[in-house]
Amino acid sequence: MKAMILAAGRGERLRPLTDHTPKPLIEVGPRTLIGHHLAGLARAGFEDVVINVAYRGRQIIEVLGDGSHWGLRLHFSEETPGELDTGGGVRNALALLGEGPFALISADVFTDFDYARLQAHGDADVHCVLVDNPAHHVDGDFGLNQGVLMDAAPRFTYAGMGVFDSARFAARDTQRFALSAVIREALQAGTASGEHHAGSWIDVGRPSALEQARSMVMKG
């Protein structure tokens, strides 16, 4: 199974830090934010990783190279900043992803989640990792009942990690759409599964969250 990292965002809330450094290349301890994901994917047995880039995309491509540093093969899908949204970014990269399910990870998160757990869902339509609701998203996104994703309370927050079948994106007839639209389609069809991650997870979207992630690395 291939993996894809969503790395096209602008990182507005981390300005001025992101004025010259794209968010995925911000350092969190000895590695960049995206470097932590790449190392985790390599440990989990992934070999091919697709990365979509837009804002300062060439900078990301030049720093990461071909992926050999992590024992991976990297493939880049270049976009125009602000044009496609999350779901559209995946649809734009389908030629690189191929057919069938793939792991999808947001570069914005910092976590100790074991990506090998995603390998166990290689036949999924949509499978989402959920976490307890952070302070900035107290209402959550989806419920979970015996591994089935639900539109019911109590709700957890989508962690920006999961497995998705490429057919879900190929069937869309619009270029710009959110990933949440794909998740809700599968939920309504009764083909969306999920799991709860009780370990560390941070949405690195604010300066305070970035410092929290850096502190976590320092503490080991």
Side-chain angles (χ1 to χ4, degrees), residues 6 8 70 75 110 114 120 130 143 146 152-153 169 181 189 199:
L6 296 172
W70 298 273
H75 314 271
F110 182 78
D114 182 1
L130 306 179
Q146 297 183 340
F169 300 86

Side-chain angles (χ1 to χ4, degrees), residues 33 39 51 59 75 81 108 115 136 142 159 170:
L33 185 56
I51 303 173
Q59 190 174 343
H75 314 271
D108 294 353
Y115 293 136
H136 65 274
F142 306 105

Side-chain angles (χ1 to χ4, degrees), residues 15-161:
R15 295 183 65 187
L17 190 59
T18 53
D19 284 345
H20 303 289
T21 302
K23 189 176 181 179
L25 296 184
I26 291 175
E27 292 184 354
V28 181
R31 294 183 174 130
T32 61
L33 185 56
I34 197 170
H36 284 280
H37 294 300
L38 294 173
L41 288 168
R43 286 194 302 271
F46 288 89
E47 297 178 349
D48 288 276
V49 180
V50 176
I51 303 173
N52 73 326
V53 296
Y55 173 70
R56 292 191 172 272
R58 296 305 304 178
Q59 190 174 343
I60 296 173
I61 293 171
E62 290 170 5
V63 169
L64 299 184
D66 63 3
S68 57
H69 174 77
W70 298 273
L72 299 168
R73 291 184 294 268
L74 301 187
H75 314 271
F76 296 94
S77 176
E78 298 187 66
E79 305 173 10
T80 300
E83 187 175 77
L84 297 177
D85 207 339
T86 48
V90 174
R91 184 179 182 274
N92 188 61
L94 288 180
L96 297 172
L97 288 167
E99 298 182 353
F102 60 93
L104 184 64
I105 298 163
S106 170
D108 294 353
V109 303
F110 182 78
T111 181
D112 62 357
F113 181 79
D114 182 1
Y115 293 136
R117 287 162 60 179
L118 299 180
Q119 294 274 24
H121 298 279
D123 59 350
D125 182 7
V126 167
H127 179 79
C128 297
V129 179
L130 306 179
V131 293
D132 292 338
N133 301 327
H136 65 274
H137 193 61
V138 294
D139 293 332
D141 299 307
F142 306 105
L144 191 61
N145 184 11
Q146 297 183 340
V148 177
L149 211 65
M150 309 288 289
D151 187 13
R155 287 180 168 83
F156 298 95
T157 292
Y158 173 57
M161 304 178 289

